[in-house]
Structure formats: structure tokens, C-alpha cells
Amino acid sequence: MGKKLIIIAFLAFAVIRFITQQPYISANESKISELNDKIEYEQRRLEQVNKLYEQSNTDEYIEKVAREKLNLVYPGEKVFIDVMGK
């Protein structure tokens, strides 16, 4: 009789413990999901940065930046400026 009482008490304790821990488990699962989303976002950003870094070492990219940001042109090259707007 004593063993049955101990087993019943232990099972009751385990069930109560499980029920009281459920909100914490759900909250942690939600946090894990958010963190996984952030990890995926940061991985995509890292891929973009790596791609830009690889492009920045090419002559085409250097020329593009020189033309667009520094307004540089080749000697003898004619530049036309659109004065109509847009």
C-alpha cells in the first residue's frame, strides 16, 4: 500500500509540475522562433555584404563608384547633363 501511495504522489507531482511549466515552455518556444527569424535575416544580410565585398574588388565596381559618387570621367569623354529635370 505504501508503494502505491508513493507512486501516485510522484505522478501527481509530475503532472502538476508539467502543467505549471507549460506557460514557460510556450514563452521559450516563442522566443526561439523569434531568434530563428533573426538568424535567417542576419544570414541574408551577411550574404548581401559578402556579395558586395566581392563586387567591390572588381574594376567594374570601382569604375561605377568613381563615375556615380565622384563624378569622374575618362580623358576626352563628353558628359551630357539633362537640364529638363526628372
Side-chain angles (χ1 to χ4, degrees):
M1 183 74 172
K3 287 183 181 181
K4 287 182 183 180
L5 185 59
I6 292 173
I7 292 172
I8 291 172
F10 177 74
L11 288 175
F13 173 77
V15 168
I16 291 170
R17 187 63 140 171
F18 177 77
I19 291 171
T20 59
Q21 293 296 317
Q22 199 59 37
Y24 298 112
I25 293 170
S26 296
N28 287 335
E29 286 174 347
S30 176
K31 287 179 185 178
I32 289 170
S33 177
E34 288 177 23
L35 291 173
N36 284 333
D37 291 344
K38 287 181 181 181
I39 288 170
E40 289 177 20
Y41 172 76
E42 292 301 329
Q43 286 175 338
R44 286 192 304 271
R45 279 190 54 208
L46 179 61
E47 288 174 8
Q48 292 173 346
V49 168
N50 286 335
K51 186 176 180 181
L52 182 59
Y53 175 75
E54 289 173 8
Q55 289 176 351
S56 69
N57 291 326
T58 63
D59 291 338
E60 293 84 14
Y61 181 79
I62 293 169
E63 182 179 342
K64 179 182 173 185
V65 170
R67 288 179 175 276
E68 292 177 0
K69 305 289 183 188
L70 304 175
N71 297 321
L72 297 178
V73 295
Y74 285 110
E77 188 176 26
K78 293 182 181 179
V79 178
F80 295 95
I81 300 174
D82 182 12
V83 293
M84 295 301 288
K86 297 187 183 185

